[in-house]
């Protein structure tokens, strides 16, 4: 996705938003045909259609007339948000994660509103919030957490998990938060229409009273606004100044970790966090939230486990203490065990389900899958996990190719000479040595 072309009006909004006491009461009129055109360019065209069945390519056939009609409905108040189509994605633990797919036209309007609100809230958001922000990435969050652990020589980690955040978010509180900076009636009405549009789940229209559907274009920004006031601002301005030791927090959407130098501080933070979230209709997951001892082991201790240290997970990586080549204690990161197993199972299943596909197409698909794995998990000191995925992919590919040809004599030597030399798979490599 290319970066947006900022109009003079949006650049002016960004400049004015530097004054954090300023409220914006007149933004809706900036949603004109040109802004909708730019929002259309920034919206994915190959995504699944919403409840109306209209795809991006179909909408683009009469783009100018469609955008002019959309603008006229927005201007006259006749715009109506369509229900969000719900699909379910299977989770590792056997459960399902609901995902909302808005209609393509709603995506355009939501993108336009995001383009107007982002310059404002980028002035407010704290630097330890990394999700869905321009110039921010998951790898930066992972790296910042590593720096925090190394800077404090570890400590006690508050590994927090908010139960069903997107489903339990209080809409009235959210709109109150938005109203602090953007008391614009037009913007507020649009947000209200999207929140109250309903969810189409298997042909049944549901109207939940709380939450915002995951998958919507504007949902990440609304989630960031909600958690900015509930967690980020509270931690930075009320909690951190009252702690006795050093502390740091890293948040990526509703997934966040707090590292405290002192164990007593960590226990106080966890108790206060529970009370803070309950005040705003949220709660910590009792089984997934925990305190983790994560201190730098003593020099005479041979293993981190012997010192009573635990590990914790963040954004797909497990953080743990180990000795460097020079014998010093350092924090390292590896792919989470369940993520590693999931990748291997997925690649093995793909080889089985597509064994009759032509070899060039198989090689192309497997290449993209492996490069995607390397692209995310290819961080410093995680080469062994990448090598494991590569080894099991080769093993599965060889196994199912031998089943296809009923050739039990397809040895590793023949597999290498007949297939791998012509259709090689990309070998593991570290992509993010430094972030």
């Amino acid at each position: 996705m290319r970066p947006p072309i900022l109009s003079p009006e949006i650049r002016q909004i960004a400049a004015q938003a530097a004054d954090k006491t300023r409220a914006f009461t007149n933004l809706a009129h900036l949603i004109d045909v040109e802004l909708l055109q730019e929002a259309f360019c920034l919206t994915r065209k190959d995504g699944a259609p919403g409840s109306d069945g209209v795809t991006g390519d179909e909408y683009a056939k009469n783009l100018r007339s469609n955008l002019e009609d959309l603008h006229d409905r927005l201007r006259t108040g006749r715009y109506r948000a369509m229900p969000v189509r719900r699909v379910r994605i299977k989770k590792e633990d056997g459960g399902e994660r609901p995902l909302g797919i808005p209609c393509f036209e709603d995506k355009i309007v939501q993108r336009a509103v995001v383009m107007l609100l982002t310059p404002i809230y980028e002035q407010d958001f704290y630097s330890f919030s990394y999700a869905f922000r321009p110039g921010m990435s998951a790898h930066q969050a992972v790296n910042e957490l590593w720096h925090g652990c190394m800077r404090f020589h570890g400590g006690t980690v508050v590994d927090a998990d908010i139960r069903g955040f997107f489903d339990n978010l209080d809409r009235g509180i959210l709109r109150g938060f938005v109203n602090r900076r953007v008391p614009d009636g037009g913007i507020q009405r649009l947000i209200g229409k999207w929140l109250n549009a309903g969810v189409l789940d298997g042909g049944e229209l549901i109207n939940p009273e709380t939450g915002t559907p995951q998958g919507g274009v504007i949902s990440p920004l609304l989630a960031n606004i909600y958690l900015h006031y509930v967690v980020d601002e509270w931690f930075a301005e009320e909690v951190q100044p009252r702690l006795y030791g050093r502390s740091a927090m890293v948040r990526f959407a509703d997934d966040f970790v707090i590292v405290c130098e002192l164990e007593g501080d960590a226990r106080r933070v966890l108790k206060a966090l529970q009370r803070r979230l309950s005040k705003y209709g949220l709660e910590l997951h009792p089984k997934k939230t925990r305190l983790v001892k994560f201190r730098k082991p003593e020099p005479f201790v041979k293993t981190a486990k012997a010192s009573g240290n635990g590990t914790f997970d963040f954004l797909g990586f497990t953080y743990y203490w180990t000795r460097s080549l020079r014998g010093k204690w350092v924090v390292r990161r590896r792919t989470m065990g369940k993520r590693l197993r999931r990748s291997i199972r997925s690649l093995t299943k793909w080889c089985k389900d597509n064994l009759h596909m032509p070899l060039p197409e198989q090689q192309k698909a497997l290449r993209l899958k492996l490069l995607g794995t390397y692209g995310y998990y290819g961080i410093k000191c995680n080469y062994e996990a990448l090598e494991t995925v590569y080894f099991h992919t080769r093993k599965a590919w060889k196994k199912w190719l031998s089943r296809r040809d009923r050739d039990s004599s397809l040895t590793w030597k023949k597999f290498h000479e007949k297939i791998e030399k012509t259709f090689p798979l990309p070998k593991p490599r570290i992509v993010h040595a430094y972030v």
Side-chain angles (χ1 to χ4, degrees), residues 297-298 300-309 321-323 329:
E298 298 296 331
F300 56 83
V301 177
K302 292 185 178 180
T303 64
K305 188 176 181 180
S307 69
N309 264 341
W321 282 101
T322 188
R323 288 190 182 274
W329 286 108

Side-chain angles (χ1 to χ4, degrees), residues 229-231 234 238 272-280:
Y229 289 110
V230 173
V231 177
W234 166 77
E238 297 184 31
L273 180 61
Q274 291 172 330
R275 293 193 298 268
R276 177 71 177 182
L277 292 179
S278 64
K279 180 180 177 181
Y280 293 96

Side-chain angles (χ1 to χ4, degrees), residues 156-162 231 234-235 239-240 243 247-249 256-260 262-279 282-293:
T156 302
V157 173
V158 180
D159 188 4
D161 185 277
I162 301 177
V231 177
W234 166 77
F235 177 77
V239 175
Q240 213 167 19
L243 300 180
S247 63
M249 184 173 84
F256 63 95
V257 171
I258 301 172
V259 183
C260 296
L262 303 177
E263 182 178 348
D265 284 344
R267 295 189 180 279
R268 291 166 56 206
V269 168
L270 181 57
K271 289 182 180 180
L273 180 61
Q274 291 172 330
R275 293 193 298 268
R276 177 71 177 182
L277 292 179
S278 64
K279 180 180 177 181
L282 302 173
E283 63 175 335
L284 292 173
H285 197 294
K287 294 183 178 180
K288 296 182 180 180
T289 300
R290 60 194 183 119
L291 288 177
V292 181
K293 180 184 177 182

Side-chain angles (χ1 to χ4, degrees), residues 31 51 81 122 124 150 155 242 258 358-359 363 410:
I31 305 178
S51 58
E122 278 300 304
D124 297 352
M150 290 293 293
R242 293 180 169 86
I258 301 172
L359 277 176
Q363 186 261 359
L410 184 62

Side-chain angles (χ1 to χ4, degrees), residues 88-98 288 342:
R88 300 183 185 278
I89 301 174
K90 290 186 178 180
K91 298 169 64 176
E92 184 70 20
D93 57 5
E96 292 181 332
R97 183 188 303 277
K288 296 182 180 180
R342 183 174 67 185

Side-chain angles (χ1 to χ4, degrees), residues 29 37 73 87 102 105 124 159-160 173 203 224 244 254 261 270 299 322 340 371 428:
H29 78 282
Q37 173 88 38
R73 282 182 281 128
V87 297
E105 188 172 73
D124 297 352
D159 188 4
I173 294 175
N224 268 341
Y244 295 104
D254 59 330
E261 190 177 20
L270 181 57
T322 188
L340 185 63
L371 289 178

Side-chain angles (χ1 to χ4, degrees), residues 168-179 188 195-196 209-211 226 280:
N168 297 314
L169 176 150
D170 189 295
R171 295 174 179 175
I173 294 175
L174 170 63
R175 296 181 69 175
F177 286 152
V178 175
N179 195 59
Q188 289 278 352
L195 292 176
N196 297 311
E209 297 181 357
T210 61
Y226 200 91
Y280 293 96

